[in-house]
Amino acid sequence: MTEIARSRIFADAASRIRAVGPNVVALTGAGISVESGIPAFRGSQGLWDRFDPMEYATIEAFSANPEKVWGMFSGLLPLLLAAAPNPAHLGLSGLEGAGMLRSVVTQNVDGLHQAAGSRNVIEYHGSFRELVCLSCWKRYPMAVWSPGDAPPRCECREILKPDIVLFGEPIPWGAQATAEADAKSCGVLLVAGTSAQVFPACELPAIARLHGAVVIEINTEETPLTRTTTDLFLKGKAGEVMTKLVEAVR
Ligand code: NAD
Ligand code: ZN
């Protein structure tokens, strides 16, 4: 694509956002946090060479062998605890601050949108901030565990689960309802860094489009959305693309 064609897509995306702001909703996935040092599931690997998410990140795996699944959590948590927001997270909080964005629906569990200053964040897959006991439902702050510790236990002796949605678990009801309502009512859905392969989050772009929204997608690679649902595809790293897009909106 020529530089002129690329500039036109950015200008078009920015004018779509300006036309409906603040009725813009963002849908983010693991790719938006890659530039913060947290590996995504798909795309470039790292942690996931050692841990197949389909084997480790399921509720069945956790129930059968929580120590084994904590092997994955103990590798991921230090990365999450050390990570700082990157320009993509900051760009979205800037858009919200400028009255151009209503909410961020995130599949991520890393808390980086909030750390960047976003206020209206819907955590579709929960978060790593808390731990929950699947036996008595008592909750604990993540701070009861430190890197290097054995898996943390509830006072009832059960091994605690981070309050994230594993494959096979339902989406928290409030998050599901709000995300769906936001998708149905937004004028622009800005989709960033998701492979759109995890159900039911991957349905939100099609729901938005069916209800009249323009779908703008940011990703380093094409996804199943790109040719079916996306109106404007901005190819590239989320941090770089978001910075350029926010500048164009202003
Ligand atoms: P995914 O891992 O399936 O896909 C990541 C997507 O991001 C891919 O399409 C890839 O091409 C793209 N990508 C990679 N680097 C990018 C960059 N710098 N800029 C823009 N795009 C980039 O992620 P998913 O769709 O979110 O689904 C995986 C599930 O696992 C989700 O629930 C996700 O939140 C969770 N997960 C979360 C974290 C986190 O909280 N940071 C990390 C790993 C997995
Ligand atoms: Zn308990």
Side-chain angles (χ1 to χ4, degrees), residues 38-63:
I38 305 173
F41 276 175
R42 298 169 188 86
S44 65
Q45 295 298 304
L47 190 62
W48 312 118
D49 287 340
R50 275 190 291 142
F51 300 105
D52 175 0
M54 287 312 188
E55 183 188 339
Y56 280 82
T58 70
I59 189 63
E60 291 81 12
F62 186 86
S63 303

Side-chain angles (χ1 to χ4, degrees), residues 131-179:
L131 296 155
V132 62
C133 173
L134 296 182
S135 178
C136 71
W137 301 105
K138 193 169 159 55
R139 302 171 81 84
Y140 298 80
M142 182 48 82
V144 302
W145 180 87
S146 301
D149 286 358
R153 286 183 187 269
C154 182
E155 60 189 18
C156 78
R157 299 305 302 148
E158 203 71 27
I159 293 183
L160 296 166
K161 184 183 85 76
D163 193 21
I164 61 170
V165 176
L166 297 175
F167 291 109
E169 286 192 294
I171 305 302
W173 187 84
Q176 166 72 44
T178 312

Side-chain angles (χ1 to χ4, degrees), residues 28-35 38-45 48 53 57 76 80 86 88-89 106-112 124-125 128 165 167 192-198 201 217-224 234 236-241:
T28 67
I32 202 171
S33 295
V34 165
E35 288 154 89
I38 305 173
F41 276 175
R42 298 169 188 86
S44 65
Q45 295 298 304
W48 312 118
L76 186 57
L80 297 191
N86 68 55
H89 301 103
T106 188
Q107 298 167 79
N108 295 345
V109 293
D110 54 32
L112 290 180
Y124 201 79
H125 289 161
F128 258 116
V165 176
F167 291 109
T194 176
S195 64
Q197 289 181 39
V198 178
E217 183 182 20
I218 300 175
N219 202 303
T220 47
E221 294 162 25
E222 290 197 1
T223 72
L234 305 177
K237 290 185 179 175
E240 291 165 18
V241 171

